[in-house]
Amino acid sequence: ADPTNGCELPDMNIFLTTDGSVLYNSSESIGGFQFDVDGATISSASGGDAASAGLLVQSMGSTLLAFSMTGGSVSPGCGTLTNLSLSGDAAGLSNLVFSDAIGGQLNFSYYVENDADLVYDCSDEYPNCPGNYFDCNGICNGDSLLNFWGDCCSASE
């Protein structure tokens, strides 16, 4: 069964419920975040621990961005990060970018129960990688890209 609250998730994971709640579990403070909703557009985002912490939560199309102008951050813990009103049938969240209170990268993952959505019959290109892609460093769902000179660099560099 899908998680019904953030405390059911492993550490450093988020999950989108069918009613649009973005659940989280984090051992680190969250100073900001961005993600895309797969298969749906965001009509609005409100509430949750992001709003309680004073983060500004903005959406455009299927992308959500949350940040603080005053240095606020979501304290370590678990719960509902924000609540989304969605148009369309959301399949999950992707392109996760999370940062701590001083802008350092946090490595969050989208929760997939028991790898239930993975294909083990080799009918997909990378059967043991949830995002079905590897970056140029060979990391499943990694963010490294080839630069102009053909060097593999982290997207955060």
Side-chain angles (χ1 to χ4, degrees), residues 31-93:
F33 56 91
Q34 177 179 332
F35 55 74
D36 292 332
V37 178
D38 300 331
T41 55
I42 304 168
S43 303
S44 67
S46 62
D49 293 343
S52 297
L55 271 63
L56 301 171
V57 182
Q58 301 290 317
S59 64
M60 183 170 167
S62 61
T63 301
L64 182 123
L65 175 66
F67 59 95
S68 174
M69 299 289 283
T70 59
S73 62
V74 176
S75 298
C78 53
T80 300
L81 194 56
T82 190
N83 296 297
L84 305 179
S85 176
L86 300 170
S87 175
D89 188 18
L93 305 175

Side-chain angles (χ1 to χ4, degrees), residues 37-151:
V37 178
D38 300 331
T41 55
I42 304 168
S43 303
S44 67
S46 62
D49 293 343
S52 297
L55 271 63
L56 301 171
V57 182
Q58 301 290 317
S59 64
M60 183 170 167
S62 61
T63 301
L64 182 123
L65 175 66
F67 59 95
S68 174
M69 299 289 283
T70 59
S73 62
V74 176
S75 298
C78 53
T80 300
L81 194 56
T82 190
N83 296 297
L84 305 179
S85 176
L86 300 170
S87 175
D89 188 18
L93 305 175
S94 60
N95 300 319
L96 310 179
V97 179
F98 279 72
S99 64
D100 62 21
I102 57 172
Q105 180 178 344
L106 297 175
N107 292 315
F108 266 78
S109 299
Y110 184 75
Y111 178 76
V112 178
E113 181 187 18
N114 297 327
D115 297 335
D117 294 341
L118 300 183
V119 178
Y120 289 103
D121 65 1
C122 300
S123 66
D124 68 351
E125 190 173 354
Y126 303 109
N128 295 320
C129 182
N132 204 26
Y133 72 91
F134 285 79
D135 69 8
C136 55
N137 281 323
I139 298 178
C140 173
N141 298 345
D143 67 348
S144 295
L145 304 167
L146 291 176
N147 68 14
F148 177 77
W149 300 276
D151 299 318

